[in-house]
Amino acid sequence: MVEGVEDAWIEIPRSGQSLGWQYTFVPAVDPISGTSMGNVADNRNLFNDGGTLPEDEGLAVRLDSFNPHTGSILAGDTLNLTYTFSGSGTPQNLPLLLPPMSWSSQTQVVFYYSGTGEPYSDRWLCHSLLPAGTPPTPTPTCSVSVPTPTPPLTTTTTESTTTITTTTTISTTTTAAGESGAVIGDYNGDGTSDIAIFRASSGAWMVRSLTRVWFGAASDQPVPRDYSGDGAWDFAIYRPSLGKWMVRGLTSAFYGVATDVPVPGDYDGDGASDIALFRPSIGKWLVRSGLQAYYGFAADTVVPGDYNGDGTTDIAVFRPSIGKWLVRGGTQVYYGVATDTVVPGDYTGDGSCDFAVWRETNGVWLVKNGPHVYWGTSGDVVQPADYDGDGTMDFAVWRPASSRWIIYNFVNYYYGAPTDEPVTNP
């Protein structure tokens, strides 16, 4: 457990400005109301010894506004917590990041903190703060106290933007496709795709015959990929409301805005997936590692994948209005119609991504220069992946009504519930 919380103070870059908050440190337990360890109000007022934190619980900070109930938190505002471990007299310091926000009426917000000082709105995401006798976990280099800003968007594209509307921006979709690193949907690194679902109502990830973890909330978008480069997919979410990416046990970063579309992939060919997004309003791709490019319109479907087999993810879109695939710096082909579902992947085993569609009206899969197979029916959710580990994508669908996974020329399984989201190939 953590004991002897000695003091805490507010670090702010706005010298002398009142924050309008009262901070109360409490154990991360349910219910939060009625628990208390002490508080620190306004700028740099010290927080008295609050006793001990239970070993199995994290730390929560309850923020209450006080009259006149107006104020704000800016990027860079942090709480610095000083504490000691049970049985150790060496003080430790942990900066706690405060998400930017503002308020104009009476407000109460609770944030739960992990050992890196990252805030979460759901206590199940942070787990235990600091185990007994263990030095504090260092903050990852990408988890700084100031959110990483999305690169400025000052250049305009020469392509027409007259087709951009609110409706098309919201409906922009992404499809996972072949890239270097782990096999699609391989959560344990054994070279085969695993059947997996995400249950938004509880934030639960369930991988058949492997594991079950809680990570995320109902409004999050699951974005699992191999972000560590170890050959296995990591549980990860993108939180549009904050523009925040969170990879379980690895990292978190602020990158993007609510209307962006996450498009993770290995854009630099280093064997690990990169945090990346597509901004439909201006047709821009932004990869956190550096790459930026204008390519596509709001009405396009983004289909990143390794289309030339060089081990890196290529920027690509499918234009439903004309059934055209466009790969940046590469091929442009007409294949499919507006009502088709795009399902790119390596169906031929040549190490590159194939142009492919699934036609829901008759259940046919069409792979350019490859097989044509009737598999699935209206209402199914396509989940192509390498379920048998032979190096090629298998035709597969998930049938929500019966929670049934139906894999072509392979075993069928019942796994999940009708309201779950399949994340073998999200």
Side-chain angles (χ1 to χ4, degrees):
M1 67 180 63
V2 179
E3 69 173 23
V5 177
E6 296 174 342
D7 55 33
W9 62 93
I10 304 166
E11 290 283 1
I12 62 169
R14 302 169 288 158
S15 178
Q17 179 175 337
S18 174
L19 296 177
W21 276 116
Q22 173 175 298
Y23 299 84
T24 305
F25 291 86
V26 295
V29 297
D30 285 333
I32 287 294
S33 60
T35 63
S36 178
M37 290 178 60
N39 60 67
V40 54
D42 220 355
N43 296 1
R44 294 186 177 274
N45 291 343
L46 293 184
F47 160 68
N48 292 327
D49 189 343
T52 59
L53 287 173
E55 181 177 345
D56 296 331
E57 298 294 344
L59 173 71
V61 177
R62 185 173 61 220
L63 296 78
D64 296 273
S65 63
F66 54 80
N67 284 324
H69 294 310
T70 58
S72 63
I73 299 175
L74 302 183
D77 288 352
T78 61
L79 282 172
N80 277 304
L81 174 67
T82 302
Y83 59 90
T84 58
F85 287 111
S86 175
S88 171
T90 304
Q92 307 288 345
N93 178 262
L94 180 67
L96 306 177
L97 175 66
L98 294 173
M101 61 184 298
S102 61
W103 60 94
S104 59
S105 59
Q106 186 172 1
T107 305
Q108 182 181 97
V109 181
V110 176
F111 291 110
Y112 304 89
Y113 285 91
S114 69
T116 62
E118 287 287 337
Y120 298 91
S121 59
D122 184 342
R123 77 186 185 99
W124 295 109
L125 297 184
C126 69
H127 304 291
S128 179
L129 177 68
L130 297 164
T134 305
T137 303
T139 303
T141 55
C142 61
S143 299
V144 296
S145 59
V146 180
T148 304
T150 301
L153 305 173
T154 56
T155 306
T156 57
T157 177
T158 57
E159 295 181 337
S160 171
T161 58
T162 56
T163 59
I164 298 176
T165 64
T166 301
T167 301
T168 54
T169 298
I170 293 174
S171 63
T172 304
T173 57
T174 181
T175 302
E179 61 188 45
S180 64
V183 170
I184 287 176
D186 181 6
Y187 287 87
N188 64 349
D190 67 352
T192 62
S193 303
D194 301 303
I195 289 174
I197 60 98
F198 174 68
R199 186 160 294 167
S201 59
S202 62
W205 296 70
M206 299 179 224
V207 184
R208 185 180 179 273
S209 300
L210 284 180
T211 190
R212 178 178 299 192
V213 301
W214 280 263
F215 192 72
S219 59
D220 295 336
Q221 297 179 32
V223 286
R225 288 297 188 280
D226 181 13
Y227 294 93
S228 62
D230 64 354
W233 270 26
D234 303 298
F235 303 106
I237 58 170
Y238 174 66
R239 187 159 291 169
S241 60
L242 296 176
K244 187 173 184 179
W245 297 69
M246 289 179 268
V247 184
R248 185 175 183 265
L250 187 64
T251 190
S252 64
F254 290 93
Y255 198 73
V257 297
T259 54
D260 291 339
V261 179
V263 286
D266 184 8
Y267 293 89
D268 55 12
D270 65 353
S273 292
D274 304 303
I275 289 173
L277 55 87
F278 174 69
R279 187 155 291 166
S281 58
I282 57 173
K284 189 170 186 179
W285 296 67
L286 302 103
V287 182
R288 192 166 182 263
S289 59
L291 174 66
Q292 296 185 33
Y294 289 93
Y295 203 76
F297 295 133
D300 292 340
T301 299
V302 289
V303 286
D306 183 9
Y307 291 89
N308 59 3
D310 66 352
T312 63
T313 301
D314 302 306
I315 290 173
V317 299
F318 173 72
R319 191 154 293 162
S321 58
I322 55 176
K324 189 175 185 179
W325 298 70
L326 302 99
V327 182
R328 182 174 179 263
T331 306
Q332 298 186 16
V333 300
Y334 290 92
Y335 200 73
V337 297
T339 56
D340 289 341
T341 300
V342 288
V343 285
D346 184 7
Y347 294 89
T348 57
D350 64 356
S352 62
C353 200
D354 301 307
F355 304 105
V357 298
W358 181 66
R359 192 155 293 165
E360 186 175 4
T361 53
N362 59 4
V364 67
W365 297 68
L366 305 164
V367 181
K368 190 174 189 299
N369 299 322
H372 295 179
V373 172
Y374 287 88
W375 197 250
T377 188
S378 180
D380 289 344
V381 179
V382 290
Q383 286 291 285
D386 185 9
Y387 295 93
D388 55 11
D390 66 353
T392 62
M393 297 279 275
D394 302 306
F395 306 107
V397 297
W398 182 65
R399 190 157 293 164
S402 58
S403 302
R404 187 181 181 191
W405 295 72
I406 310 171
I407 305 167
Y408 186 72
N409 286 337
F410 199 61
V411 179
N412 298 334
Y413 301 98
Y414 290 91
Y415 197 74
T419 56
D420 292 339
E421 179 176 352
V423 287
T424 297
N425 189 345

